[in-house]
Amino acid sequence: MIEKEDINAIVKDYTKDKISIGTLGSHSALNIFKGAKEEGFRTVCICRKKDEIVYRRFSSADEVILIEDFSDLLDEEIQERLRRLNVILIPHGSFNAYLSMDKILNELYLPMFGNRKLLSWEIDREKQRIWLRRAGLTIPKIFEDSDQIDRLVIAKFPGARGGKGYFLVNSPESFKAKTEKMIRNGHLKREDLKRTYFQEYVIGVNAYIQYFQSTLQDEVEMLGIDKRYESAVDGIGRIPASEQLQIDLNPTYTIVGNIPITLRESLLPEIFKMGDNVVRVSKEIAPPGIIGPFCLENVITDKLDIFTFEISARIVAGSNVGIGTSPYAYLKYGERMYMGRRIAREIRLGIEKNKLEKIVY
Ligand code: AMP
């Protein structure tokens, strides 16, 4: 297990006016790099050959380190190169998706912005539920077993990512019928059945709230809101109902992009309270709690009840809709503030105030 002292020792050796910001070339890297550059940092993109074009065309990276696979980030040689470049890593969704949590916690000897212990709370649905409950948030009902299903439920398999592989069922029978078909088609393994997570499907609209916990300024900021653009569910409304019935459509939720939104102002007091409570509880479950970006993923019903079905304890790709600015970042900071830049600003502040140790773990 990497101890905080190990990270402090690495940071202590860094040349403070030569710190660079690095991340894996994927997910929200464009956002992170642009923000870093606007705050005067050098940027280091660790990326696969096939993705390099993106960071070259947008001139995002001062340094590109090519790797075969994201897990090569753990190679001692690559890590040493990054340490020599005085890199602070910014974790994003591809870290959890492509590196094992175990390795992030035990083998990644590089300072990361944020609290890496919380990433392990994020990948465990049961731990998420405990965290959100303790924060007093309303969460969808969970069904332990398919026999208990008595309403519309979204079934999530272990390892299902980015909404891919979710499906709806409304009874034990419909679960059995659908999963048998999926097993026959090779879309599902029988051993995964036992580990299915059933969540009440809340009918309403999505709102993904992008927060930033500023450890150095001691405030939970709200910098943007988005909803997801998902295939095929967002395309189903374009097909007449009669055809939908004929082809026995099954909505899937594979994320393809994001769409910015603003919320009714009357919902915002609750939104701020939710963010504050989640941060308060994070300090109890994994001291010193959240540092930097996090996101609450909600469905808001026609009664304006807010159900939170997930939390991400890091930058989310939805914050890419705010590159440049978002209405809420504008309200707080004026022009040209967005999640990638807000991260870099906090690191800049940490360097200036000699408090980097408070924000990298
Ligand atoms: P996720 O990958 O968990 O962020 O969710 C992917 C998609 O599933 C999103 O469109 C969500 O709105 C939808 N979703 C997930 N859980 C629920 C739920 N409990 N009720 C309604 N929609 C959900």
Side-chain angles (χ1 to χ4, degrees):
M1 182 79 153
I2 298 172
E3 301 295 339
K4 174 65 172 133
E5 293 74 53
D6 302 323
I7 300 296
N8 285 352
I10 298 169
V11 176
K12 211 158 159 247
D13 273 355
Y14 276 8
T15 313
K16 296 295 176 297
D17 58 355
K18 291 219 169 98
I19 285 186
S20 351
I21 288 189
T23 196
L24 294 173
S26 132
H27 191 266
S28 45
L30 289 171
N31 186 348
I32 292 167
F33 291 140
K34 185 69 184 170
K37 279 177 168 288
E38 292 208 78
E39 290 296 315
F41 288 103
R42 280 180 65 77
T43 54
V44 181
C45 179
I46 307 113
C47 86
R48 299 177 298 195
K49 184 81 193 139
K50 69 182 175 77
D51 305 319
E52 190 187 2
I53 183 170
V54 179
Y55 308 98
R56 294 264 183 231
R57 294 283 165 95
F58 287 115
S59 308
S60 300
D62 296 307
E63 187 107 23
V64 172
I65 298 182
L66 288 179
I67 49 175
E68 291 282 316
D69 187 270
F70 285 137
S71 60
D72 295 346
L73 174 63
L74 297 160
D75 285 0
E76 188 39 47
E77 206 180 305
I78 303 266
Q79 293 198 38
E80 179 52 32
R81 211 167 140 193
L82 293 170
R83 283 191 294 266
R84 276 205 306 273
L85 288 164
N86 302 284
V87 164
I88 293 179
L89 274 184
I90 315 297
H92 53 54
S94 298
F95 282 66
N96 317 359
Y98 297 98
L99 309 178
S100 83
M101 191 46 57
D102 217 39
K103 296 201 157 147
I104 293 182
L105 294 178
N106 295 309
E107 294 176 26
L108 192 54
Y109 280 89
L110 280 160
M112 284 171 97
F113 178 69
N115 179 352
R116 67 173 92 188
K117 275 185 282 174
L118 275 173
L119 294 176
S120 66
W121 280 77
E122 157 176 346
I123 57 162
D124 183 329
R125 291 201 169 107
E126 203 41 51
K127 281 177 140 179
Q128 278 203 19
R129 183 151 65 124
I130 294 169
W131 181 2
L132 297 175
R133 264 243 166 93
R134 259 170 76 175
L137 271 54
T138 310
I139 59 177
K141 187 174 162 60
I142 304 296
F143 296 84
E144 303 294 339
D145 193 280
S146 62
D147 287 345
Q148 299 167 346
I149 300 173
D150 63 355
R151 65 191 78 183
L152 191 60
V153 156
I154 184 162
K156 305 181 177 184
F157 287 114
R161 292 212 173 89
K164 197 165 186 232
Y166 291 0
F167 61 96
L168 301 182
V169 286
N170 59 19
S171 65
E173 294 73 33
S174 74
F175 177 72
K176 202 162 180 345
K178 276 196 186 175
T179 50
E180 285 302 328
K181 200 166 153 191
M182 288 167 84
I183 290 170
R184 272 201 307 278
N185 296 340
H187 295 323
L188 179 67
K189 295 197 205 89
R190 195 167 289 281
E191 61 263 29
D192 280 345
L193 279 184
K194 288 190 286 301
R195 296 191 293 147
T196 313
Y197 193 77
F198 302 104
Q199 229 176 33
E200 168 187 16
Y201 186 87
V202 181
I203 296 178
V205 295
N206 281 178
Y208 289 59
I209 321 291
Q210 303 142 24
Y211 298 91
F212 184 91
Q213 152 65 3
S214 172
T215 302
L216 300 180
Q217 294 181 336
D218 196 23
E219 189 175 79
V220 186
E221 302 170 6
M222 195 276 282
L223 295 181
I225 308 176
D226 71 287
K227 64 174 192 165
R228 289 171 154 199
Y229 198 37
E230 290 164 333
S231 199
V233 70
D234 287 322
I236 287 174
R238 294 164 62 95
I239 306 171
S242 51
E243 268 68 28
Q244 292 186 23
L245 289 172
Q246 277 173 28
I247 58 174
D248 186 23
L249 256 182
N250 239 330
T252 46
Y253 301 82
T254 304
I255 183 148
V256 175
N258 301 82
I259 301 166
I261 53 176
T262 52
L263 286 184
R264 284 170 77 138
E265 215 157 293
S266 56
L267 286 165
L268 296 184
E270 183 65 20
I271 295 293
F272 277 108
K273 259 192 286 172
M274 288 163 62
D276 287 355
N277 287 335
V278 163
V279 169
R280 177 177 49 75
V281 174
S282 74
K283 293 178 183 169
E284 297 161 13
I285 59 175
I290 289 186
I291 297 164
F294 68 103
C295 176
L296 293 177
E297 310 186 354
N298 313 290
V299 179
I300 306 180
T301 68
D302 57 358
K303 296 197 176 64
L304 299 180
D305 292 326
I306 306 176
F307 285 81
T308 307
F309 59 86
E310 254 185 65
I311 179 165
S312 298
R314 46 154 175 94
I315 185 170
V316 287
S319 67
N320 295 344
V321 300
I323 295 176
T325 197
S326 79
Y328 298 110
Y330 179 79
L331 287 166
K332 179 93 181 145
Y333 285 102
E335 277 164 6
R336 291 173 66 174
M337 181 51 73
Y338 45 94
M339 199 55 87
R341 186 168 188 181
R342 186 63 191 83
I343 292 169
R345 169 107 18 127
E346 192 82 351
I347 294 174
R348 175 65 66 213
L349 208 63
I351 296 169
E352 284 167 8
K353 294 189 159 180
N354 210 10
K355 287 191 172 163
L356 256 189
E357 276 95 19
K358 283 198 169 318
I359 54 175
V360 296
Y361 276 80

